[in-house]
Amino acid sequence: MSVPSRMPVMFIGHGSPMNALEHNRFTASWQALGQRFPAPRAILMISAHWMTQGLALTAMAEPRTIHDFGGFPAELFAARYPAPGDPLLAQQIAEQLAPFVRPAAVTLDQEWGLDHGAWSVLLPMYPAAQIPVLQLSLDMTQPAAWHFALGKQLAALRDQGILLMGSGNVVHNLRRLVMQDAGYDWAQQFENTVEQAILRRDWDALIHYEQHGNPALWSIPTSEHYLPLLSILGAIADDDALEIVNQGVTMGAISMLSLIAVTAKAD
């Protein structure tokens, strides 16, 4: 396995928190991704589940495992992902982002930790929990285009051995959930629209998702599960190869669409 000249970037449709413990086609693909590339120096995770006003970055040595959900089995609440943090790296990333976020600054957070958008994916992917993980928040005061531009600012970290990962869902409408392994027609339509736009690198069509009408509006009633995708797309280089690694709508209105971008000559 050759060492990539830059680390890949990934967007993972994380779906139910139970994926942290279950073995299915989605978690099998996450496990395969963890084995496919050399271990990164660190992981910078952008999860749908940490929303802030202004940008924040975890900067503690030992981030806690956050069980930010309810109504699931006790074994899920007992799960832990004891990956280390990296306070020095957090400081370096905050300094790198400072010109982008001015006049504000990146908050170096000592309280958050790793929410289930992060650890439910990382547990199957990197079960040893030895790679330092930093989590970057979603600044909900900013528009979609800003989140894409943030990804461009983060792209240089790939050359420093840092894996950039977003965790969310392209379609995420909890009010329309049904207990079936299939999706509404509008949900499947929007997932297909997003997939095709990614493959043809039509970033504007993804930033301005509202232009796709009701399928987009029903798929994204709130933006927090979609925004991590935009930051990952912003970090994609012109010479990256794009690959869809998961797709399909479950429970009526949850898309598991996932992608990686990797320097074409490296894989």
Side-chain angles (χ1 to χ4, degrees), residues 117-153:
W119 65 264
S120 69
V121 171
L122 294 175
L123 187 58
M125 192 178 294
Y126 296 108
Q130 296 175 338
I131 300 168
V133 181
L134 288 73
Q135 193 166 327
L136 188 65
S137 73
L138 294 173
D139 184 351
M140 299 305 292
T141 70
Q142 299 292 347
W146 183 92
H147 291 268
F148 181 83
L150 173 64
K152 288 187 173 294
Q153 298 297 315

Side-chain angles (χ1 to χ4, degrees), residues 2 5 31 42 46 78 90 111 118 131 150 162 166 175 196 203 215 252 267:
S2 61
S5 58
Q31 183 180 24
I46 304 174
E111 298 180 1
I131 300 168
L150 173 64
I162 298 170
R175 293 186 176 183
Q196 293 306 309
W203 308 142
D267 187 34

Side-chain angles (χ1 to χ4, degrees), residues 84-115:
D86 190 331
L88 180 58
L89 178 59
Q91 179 66 48
Q92 293 170 349
I93 294 173
E95 292 173 357
Q96 177 179 320
L97 291 175
F100 178 70
V101 299
R102 283 177 183 162
V106 179
T107 299
L108 293 176
D109 181 85
Q110 299 293 330
E111 298 180 1
W112 186 253
L114 303 177
D115 59 53

Side-chain angles (χ1 to χ4, degrees), residues 4-11 33 36-38 40 126 157-159 161-165 232 235-236 240-241 259-263 266:
S5 58
R6 65 171 74 101
M7 289 302 299
V9 294
M10 304 180 184
F11 172 78
L33 286 175
R36 178 173 170 181
F37 304 103
Y126 296 108
L157 296 173
R158 299 175 61 189
D159 297 316
I162 298 170
L163 172 62
L164 304 179
M165 188 181 304
I232 292 305
I236 292 174
D240 281 342
L259 70 100
I260 65 170
V262 60
T263 302

Side-chain angles (χ1 to χ4, degrees), residues 6 18 31 43 47 49 58 61 72 77 112 127 138-139 173 183 192 195-196 233 245:
R6 65 171 74 101
M18 287 301 295
Q31 183 180 24
I43 298 168
S47 164
H49 293 279
T58 56
F72 288 94
F77 288 92
W112 186 253
L138 294 173
D139 184 351
N173 191 331
N192 293 341
E195 179 180 347
Q196 293 306 309
L233 296 179
V245 295

